[in-house]
Amino acid sequence: MFEGKSFIDILNMGGWTLFVLLGASIFSVTIICFKLVEFWIKSKTARSQFVCKLVEKIKRDKLNEAVDFCDTVNSPMSPVAKAGIVAFKENERNIGEAMEREIMIQTVKLERFTTILGTLGSIAVYIGLFGTVLGIIRAFHDISKMGSGGISVVISGVSEALVATAAGLFVAIPAIIAYNFFTKLIDKFIVDMEYCSSAVSDTLKGKTGK
């Protein structure tokens, strides 16, 4: 089917929808690569190791060192813990609320661009189907202008139109897989942040006898 055809010829087979899907595919792959690198960097810090070192510094009244330690760690847990320690140093009573606010901020940052993947995965199939329908309509329009040889035109036109559906699936499947994978990772980060928040809050409250 694609023998002797260039990449542009294949794109033209599916009509303008194939160019849209090509752009969506490039955009999707870019986001996937960006998020993979981001999450890989943020996952390098083990939760237990980070919390143990932080709690130890807090127990020894080395709050400034604890804040500096948070600044050196690239993890969503770091700003959460830092928010609690800073609130404690400033004699704020709602340490837990300060960290909860930071958890919400970090969650929004983690979810950045992931909704785009979910959207692309959802609409790519429909864009492909739309391109296929347009191709089939064009094929039947061609047969209405031809005689007995029109059936071959229809078959050829339908086969070319189905390229758009295949392209839509090609874009949608990786995007949906990546979206679900990133969603699971974000859930793990949220659990880590909540665990860190609880540990830091209990340690700081223990120092004040609350």
Side-chain angles (χ1 to χ4, degrees), residues 38-53:
E38 178 188 0
F39 287 163
W40 176 72
I41 293 174
K42 292 182 181 298
S43 298
K44 293 171 68 175
T45 301
R47 179 183 64 189
S48 57
Q49 184 178 5
F50 173 78
V51 173
C52 286
K53 288 183 178 180

Side-chain angles (χ1 to χ4, degrees), residues 136-148:
I136 292 175
I137 292 174
R138 185 171 60 249
F140 277 96
H141 176 72
D142 292 338
I143 196 176
S144 67
K145 295 182 177 181
M146 302 186 68
S148 58

